[in-house]
Amino acid sequence: MIFNTDIFSQYIDSEIVGVNFPAELTINNVSVDSRSLLNDEHTLFFALVGKNHNGHHYIAELAQKGVRYFVVDQLPIVLHKEAVYFKVSDTLLAFQKAAAFHRASFDLPVIGITGSRGKTVVKEWLNFLLGQDYKVIKSPKSYNSQTGVPLSIFGIKESHSLGIFEVGISLRGEMQRLQPIVQPSIGILTAITDEHNEGFISIEEKIQEKLVLFSSVDVLIAEEGPIIRSLTSDKPLMTWSLYNTDATVYGSLTGDVLSIAYAEQPLFSVQIPFTDVISVKNMMSCISVMLYMQMPIEAIVTGISQLYPVELRLQVTSAINNCTVIDDAYSADFQSLVIALDFLEKHKISKKKTIILSDLFFNGDNEEEYYLSVLQLLKSNNVTRIYGVGECISRFLADCPGVFLYETTDEFLQKISLDEFAEETILVKGSRAFRFDRIVSFFETKTHETVLEVNLNSIQYNLNFYRSKLKVGTKVMAMVKAFGYGSGSLEIAKLLSHENVSYLGVAFADEGIELRKSGVKANIIVMNPEINAFPAMIAYDLEPEIYSIRELKAFLKVARARTCYKYPVHIKLETGMHRHGFTTAELDELIAILRFTNVVEVQSIFSHLSSSDMPEYREFTLDQIELFTKNVNYLSEALNINPIRHILNTSGIYNFASFQMDMVRIGIGLYGVGNDPLEMEQLRNVTTLKTRIMQIKEVENNESIGYGRRYRVEGSRIVATVPIGYADGIPRAWGNNGGYVLINGKKAPIVGAICMDMLMVDATNIGCKEGDEVIIFGEQLPVTIIAEAIQTIPYEILTNISQRVKRIFYQD
């Protein structure tokens, strides 16, 4: 960005203070965060002032680091001789004016999005749908606040041909400040609900305030309705509806097919990936935009069918006393609080929901009203307990029942007892200044520096990759057995339930029971049920795989005693794996038992492919499929049933998609591991095992390292000790087969035998220090490399990661 200094100064109503200021400002980075590593000589820093932070306190430090341009409302006592200061009366207002100044220099179409729900989803989906034809600049994550919108706008460059920005407000008067910044030419009003109505007298006032964003649009796209019609008579309006055929765009939903009628165009149908009401409405907004922009119908149909879930990055970890902690300890404003509370509801493990909240960023006229709105928001989200930390929240919520208040984070940590928390979900949300990361650590059950990070967005992506290979209507069973292939079952099960998979698969009843106790309501199949677990399975609505006559008779006995009627079971057929399942010779006896009972009902019949990942055994796999088809048809006809049929596993989906039948089972592929190099290229890494350097030492020539003196040093070497070993799941064989870790992106060979809790690496040529991060496996060091080197499979490595390793789940 290049700004004329005088014109820029006039636009933001500033006085220029400085000895030698240039005629033009060359700006590469606009910053409001003094800690940003991007702050340099081409940074324009706005010293924003909040209740718990003041950017002016860091100006001298930033000037020493090379920052030269500052927007301030008070000059530092000592002026840096090379710095230029733009003195204004309000730095936030100047920040917003500067963004508007930058926006005005670009003549490109901009889509502005506001509403109560769906802003981020519609933004991300439109970016996906239009990204092939336009160079899109969009809001990062959910940057839709009074500071987030300007930061988003500053990202516009000459190369961009379309902008997509979301805008959120929580109080009256806020949109008036944001409209000049965005200047949308196409407006989208997403769902308006009565949720989060704090700060507004009525729905009408809330809509009217949001409509300020669209004061100069070429078209406003919104759901048809009397309120919208009454409030937008002066605006060019394009409406959509799922109920009113008079709308500009009318959508009729049947199952997962959305039929679209628009103007004089022929009726066309779209296969939609999600059928919940909010998602369908968000898709209608996207379809309307694409129709207005005259996108080809084929592009609309293809694009909408490939849409994906949009999630926000928040971290979830296990905590003391069977609690779960949601870590959002780095920002606190009203809009992000709304997002975090939605996340809390989605990931709660019981009805008990607790929030620990710091003072929130505020820049307005009535701070008391603001905090009362915050309180109302918390109550409307059924938060069980509220802990407030900070001077402002303590002052304004002092007389509110059920709210526990502390002036500082230290006071909270000193006075709180861990015994107060059990079997609940705790949202920890605070601005960086409050150091709520200490509160998160306070609740954690494990403090081991070794962690397994699980990217839930990657699991979503991988699920959708395999779904893209399926026909419309094919069901998906997702395997979460073996502790989610080592990643952690609960959060993954919740995610997959949210993604509407038809079934979850676990190995043993205990795994399914834990999911049920944690609130997972999806259909769960137990793949290896033990007879003594049948009563508990029925109590927790778990569906058994039935693989033998003995097992079937045992289950029928338990089910009859509990007066079960048509309890769902899943029949396993033996087709060549020779592990377990009914053989062809046993089918008649199976039929004889099932034909005259209504205690159970066959939900599915399936088998398992032994070699679907091995091209050399393709004919064997086809023989398995043929035998399965023959036997399942025989059973279905004899029993007069129409069960779900499934035989394809992960590699089967990839290599034998034409045999997907009624359902497929996705296992290791969800976790980013394929059995084919081309398949791997299309998957995203899910898990990253990392730790930190514990100690660094210099080891002299001919000295030995580790047990048994198995490694002798040649020449002087720098050796780093890393706190992870075979008790954490690292195979000892990896240390003897060219094993290595990554430190600062460089290979550090493992030297000496891997110990129970530690391993040592040669860090001679890396240039690292104690505390530096160490990657054991992840995107740059795939687990498949380790598996190949020690002649095992990725499953074994992933499932061997010890329970003592802390799992961190996050979403981008």
Side-chain angles (χ1 to χ4, degrees):
M1 295 174 284
I2 300 177
F3 297 152
N4 179 286
T5 305
D6 287 327
I7 295 176
F8 173 77
S9 176
Q10 293 172 20
Y11 201 93
I12 65 171
D13 297 323
S14 75
E15 171 191 359
I16 304 178
V17 178
V19 179
N20 296 312
F21 57 89
E24 290 185 334
L25 301 177
T26 300
I27 303 298
N28 295 334
N29 178 42
V30 175
S31 176
V32 295
D33 188 349
S34 63
R35 295 157 295 193
S36 173
L37 297 178
L38 298 177
N39 292 328
D40 61 16
E41 60 182 328
H42 296 298
T43 292
L44 177 62
F45 181 80
F46 287 82
L48 300 186
V49 179
K51 290 296 179 182
N52 296 293
H53 70 273
N54 188 334
H56 296 82
H57 295 165
Y58 308 101
I59 290 176
E61 177 184 340
L62 289 168
Q64 289 295 325
K65 292 181 178 179
V67 178
R68 293 294 173 260
Y69 308 120
F70 300 92
V71 179
V72 300
D73 60 28
Q74 52 185 328
L75 292 170
I77 297 174
V78 179
L79 301 180
H80 193 284
K81 63 180 180 179
E82 295 179 17
V84 177
Y85 304 91
F86 297 88
K87 188 176 184 303
V88 298
S89 59
D90 183 334
T91 50
L92 177 59
L93 180 59
F95 180 49
Q96 294 170 336
K97 285 183 176 181
F101 177 78
H102 180 65
R103 165 71 181 93
S105 64
F106 296 91
D107 183 21
L108 80 166
V110 167
I111 300 173
I113 307 169
T114 193
S116 300
R117 279 188 175 187
K119 296 184 295 295
T120 302
V121 172
V122 171
K123 176 199 68 184
E124 294 296 335
W125 282 357
L126 283 175
N127 176 62
F128 170 77
L129 294 166
L130 302 174
Q132 297 296 318
D133 298 284
Y134 293 89
K135 203 75 172 177
V136 177
I137 171 69
K138 66 179 179 69
S139 309
K141 300 181 182 177
S142 295
Y143 276 39
N144 57 27
S145 65
Q146 295 287 305
T147 55
V149 172
L151 283 171
S152 302
I153 293 296
F154 277 119
I156 301 177
K157 298 180 181 178
E158 290 291 346
S159 58
H160 294 126
S161 58
L162 175 69
I164 308 176
F165 300 102
E166 59 171 305
V167 181
I169 57 171
S170 55
L171 295 171
R172 295 184 295 274
E174 290 183 334
M175 193 63 84
Q176 192 68 42
R177 302 177 74 167
L178 297 178
Q179 191 281 332
I181 303 174
V182 182
Q183 298 179 44
S185 49
I186 298 174
I188 302 175
L189 187 65
T190 62
I192 298 291
T193 70
D194 56 5
E195 298 172 280
H196 318 314
N197 256 0
E198 305 76 20
F200 303 101
I201 297 172
S202 63
I203 285 284
E204 288 80 2
E205 184 189 60
K206 186 177 184 178
I207 295 174
Q208 193 70 64
E209 177 71 15
K210 290 178 180 293
L211 289 175
V212 171
L213 178 64
F214 311 126
S215 58
S216 60
V217 295
D218 297 326
V219 66
L220 169 58
I221 296 169
E223 184 176 10
E224 176 69 54
I227 296 179
I228 293 299
R229 286 288 180 187
S230 67
L231 295 178
T232 58
S233 57
D234 61 334
K235 292 179 174 60
L237 189 61
M238 179 180 185
T239 62
W240 59 262
S241 179
L242 297 169
Y243 313 103
N244 190 339
T245 56
D246 292 331
T248 315
V249 181
Y250 172 67
S252 175
L253 182 62
T254 304
D256 58 357
V257 176
L258 189 60
S259 299
I260 303 294
Y262 171 64
E264 301 300 321
Q265 294 195 23
L267 187 75
F268 65 95
S269 296
V270 181
Q271 182 77 42
I272 61 175
F274 316 105
T275 56
D276 62 284
V277 174
I278 293 295
S279 293
V280 174
K281 288 187 173 187
N282 290 337
M283 282 183 267
M284 286 296 293
S285 292
C286 294
I287 291 169
S288 299
V289 171
M290 297 179 80
L291 288 170
Y292 175 79
M293 298 179 70
Q294 300 182 347
M295 300 292 291
I297 299 301
E298 183 181 2
I300 297 175
V301 171
T302 301
I304 294 295
S305 69
Q306 296 174 347
L307 291 178
Y308 51 86
V310 175
E311 300 288 352
L312 302 167
R313 181 179 173 100
L314 287 168
Q315 290 191 168
V316 184
T317 57
S318 59
I320 45 85
N321 303 332
N322 295 321
C323 292
T324 291
V325 166
I326 298 174
D327 179 2
D328 192 14
Y330 302 102
S331 65
D333 57 54
F334 194 92
Q335 190 63 29
S336 68
L337 177 60
V338 171
I339 294 170
L341 287 170
D342 288 341
F343 190 86
L344 170 62
E345 176 65 21
K346 179 178 172 183
H347 288 268
K348 66 181 180 182
I349 59 173
S350 69
K351 291 183 178 180
K352 294 171 65 176
K353 298 194 298 183
T354 296
I355 183 169
I356 302 167
L357 181 66
S358 78
D359 286 350
L360 277 73
F361 178 82
F362 174 77
N363 194 296
D365 298 325
N366 193 329
E367 194 168 11
E368 182 177 5
E369 179 183 333
Y370 178 75
Y371 274 98
L372 290 177
S373 297
V374 170
L375 180 63
Q376 183 57 43
L377 173 65
L378 297 174
K379 289 184 176 180
S380 66
N381 278 270
N382 300 315
V383 175
T384 311
R385 287 186 297 177
I386 303 167
Y387 293 84
V389 179
E391 183 272 330
C392 294
I393 199 168
S394 296
R395 175 156 41 96
F396 291 114
L397 302 186
D399 299 323
C400 300
V403 180
F404 306 92
L405 300 170
Y406 304 86
E407 290 284 339
T408 66
T409 304
D410 285 338
E411 183 186 2
F412 173 85
L413 291 170
Q414 290 165 5
K415 293 184 177 180
I416 208 71
S417 169
L418 289 176
D419 294 336
E420 297 178 31
F421 303 88
E423 307 283 347
E424 60 194 287
T425 309
I426 306 165
L427 170 62
V428 180
K429 182 162 186 59
S431 65
R432 289 180 181 272
F434 282 85
R435 287 295 311 278
F436 270 16
D437 56 309
R438 292 186 292 158
I439 296 178
V440 173
S441 297
F442 180 71
F443 285 112
E444 287 177 344
T445 55
K446 300 180 178 72
T447 57
H448 192 14
E449 285 191 305
T450 299
V451 299
L452 185 72
E453 291 187 345
V454 182
N455 187 332
L456 298 178
N457 290 106
S458 292
I459 291 181
Q460 290 174 329
Y461 179 91
N462 296 337
L463 172 64
N464 289 328
F465 166 74
Y466 289 107
R467 274 180 162 167
S468 71
K469 296 185 171 298
L470 304 178
K471 296 176 296 187
V472 175
T474 301
K475 301 178 185 297
V476 171
M477 178 178 174
M479 307 306 296
V480 293
K481 63 181 182 178
F483 196 53
Y485 289 75
S487 299
S489 301
L490 176 57
E491 291 304 329
I492 293 173
K494 287 182 177 180
L495 172 69
L496 294 170
S497 298
H498 184 66
E499 294 304 308
N500 297 316
V501 298
S502 298
Y503 289 91
L504 298 175
V506 298
F508 298 102
D510 289 347
E511 295 174 320
I513 291 170
E514 286 303 311
L515 294 181
R516 285 283 187 255
K517 287 181 176 180
S518 299
V520 175
K521 295 181 172 59
N523 298 319
I524 299 176
I525 300 177
V526 180
M527 308 301 287
N528 302 305
E530 297 169 303
I531 291 175
N532 61 6
F534 285 159
M537 289 178 59
I538 293 174
Y540 285 95
D541 295 321
L542 305 176
E543 303 175 20
E545 168 193 313
I546 301 295
Y547 54 82
S548 71
I549 297 296
R550 171 178 173 267
E551 186 206 13
L552 174 59
K553 289 180 177 179
F555 186 78
L556 285 171
K557 181 179 179 181
V558 174
R560 286 193 192 101
R562 282 155 178 77
T563 64
C564 293
Y565 176 71
K566 292 187 176 182
Y567 196 92
V569 298
H570 304 264
I571 301 299
K572 173 72 176 292
L573 299 183
E574 168 58 57
T575 59
M577 183 107 171
H578 296 299
R579 188 165 60 179
H580 62 293
F582 289 95
T583 64
T584 302
E586 296 173 305
L587 296 186
D588 287 335
E589 186 178 359
L590 173 63
I591 291 167
I593 297 173
L594 292 175
R595 180 176 283 162
F596 300 107
T597 181
N598 60 7
V599 175
V600 298
E601 183 176 57
V602 177
Q603 289 292 305
S604 79
I605 302 176
F606 69 104
S607 189
H608 192 66
L609 300 176
S610 69
S611 310
S612 58
D613 58 328
M614 305 176 74
E616 64 268 33
Y617 293 127
R618 179 176 178 81
E619 290 305 315
F620 180 82
T621 299
L622 293 174
D623 287 343
Q624 277 195 275
I625 294 171
E626 181 180 2
L627 178 59
F628 173 74
T629 303
K630 175 185 174 182
N631 286 351
V632 78
N633 287 342
Y634 181 72
L635 281 173
S636 299
E637 292 173 10
L639 295 171
N640 192 28
I641 59 175
N642 185 27
I644 298 169
R645 306 164 188 228
H646 53 111
I647 194 170
L648 296 190
N649 52 8
T650 297
S651 54
I653 298 168
Y654 189 76
N655 296 317
F656 297 90
S658 60
F659 298 101
Q660 60 193 256
M661 302 182 188
D662 303 310
M663 185 162 74
V664 297
R665 302 187 302 274
I666 307 178
I668 194 70
L670 278 176
Y671 306 92
V673 178
N675 293 295
D676 177 273
L678 293 178
E679 182 183 2
M680 280 290 295
E681 288 178 7
Q682 298 175 79
L683 298 175
R684 289 186 178 175
N685 180 70
V686 170
T687 53
T688 301
L689 181 59
K690 59 173 62 173
T691 185
R692 295 190 178 276
I693 295 175
M694 186 178 185
Q695 186 179 26
I696 292 178
K697 61 174 69 70
E698 184 173 349
V699 181
E700 298 299 333
N701 182 51
N702 205 37
E703 290 187 342
S704 61
I705 296 175
Y707 286 115
R709 307 194 72 189
R710 292 190 178 100
Y711 183 85
R712 296 295 182 97
V713 173
E714 295 181 4
S716 178
R717 310 301 290 175
I718 301 297
V719 174
T721 301
V722 178
I724 188 170
Y726 60 77
D728 299 294
I730 307 303
R732 292 187 78 240
W734 179 226
N736 299 321
N737 288 275
Y740 62 93
V741 300
L742 296 179
I743 302 175
N744 298 331
K746 298 179 181 179
K747 292 183 179 181
I750 298 172
V751 292
I754 293 176
C755 308
M756 179 180 289
D757 309 303
M758 288 172 280
L759 58 82
M760 289 71 74
V761 299
D762 186 343
T764 305
N765 300 313
I766 291 177
C768 54
K769 61 184 182 301
E770 292 177 1
D772 278 1
E773 186 176 81
V774 180
I775 302 297
I776 308 301
F777 61 72
E779 187 168 1
Q780 302 305 316
L781 175 49
V783 69
T784 50
I785 289 179
I786 302 174
E788 184 178 357
I790 63 174
Q791 298 183 350
T792 187
I793 57 176
Y795 299 72
E796 183 175 351
I797 295 171
L798 290 174
T799 57
N800 278 345
I801 300 304
S802 170
Q803 296 285 339
R804 79 177 185 178
V805 174
K806 181 173 72 174
R807 270 70 173 172
I808 295 178
F809 302 89
Y810 70 92
Q811 293 179 325
D812 295 325

